[in-house]
Amino acid sequence: MIYLVQFVNYTLALGMWLILGRAALGVLTGGRPTPLQALFDRFTAPFFALTRRALPFVGEKGAPLAAFFLLALLRVALIVLAHPAAGR
């Protein structure tokens, strides 16, 4: 059970880092398309699509920030639900 929780936690953390990497790369390249940017776009697009579907009011510009916070919220919820006695 603990291995499943760790796997999901690390997968959510990877998603968060990919979103941060995409944002940083977008700033560094000035929005010009690069092969590395295309790779980040391919991996983060599902997160953004789910966020826009779950929260339609965030729009295209707010999807990265909302996706990042949703992933963070999911990680916190996972830890709290997986280890309910850890905080006591």
Side-chain angles (χ1 to χ4, degrees):
M1 173 71 175
I2 191 70
Y3 295 116
L4 178 64
V5 170
Q6 285 180 345
F7 176 75
V8 172
N9 184 31
Y10 289 143
T11 303
L12 293 172
L14 176 65
M16 290 174 64
W17 281 108
L18 286 172
I19 291 170
L20 284 175
R22 179 179 173 170
L25 194 60
V27 169
L28 291 174
T29 62
R32 291 185 313 270
T34 63
L36 189 58
Q37 184 75 30
L39 184 68
F40 274 92
D41 289 348
R42 174 175 278 175
F43 284 119
T44 56
F47 293 119
F48 296 163
L50 285 172
T51 301
R52 284 191 296 272
R53 188 176 304 143
L55 304 170
F57 56 87
V58 297
E60 189 71 29
K61 296 269 186 186
L65 186 62
F68 183 83
F69 282 120
L70 280 176
L71 288 175
L73 183 68
L74 285 172
R75 285 186 71 197
V76 169
L78 177 73
I79 297 303
V80 167
L81 292 175
H83 303 291
R88 294 185 185 121

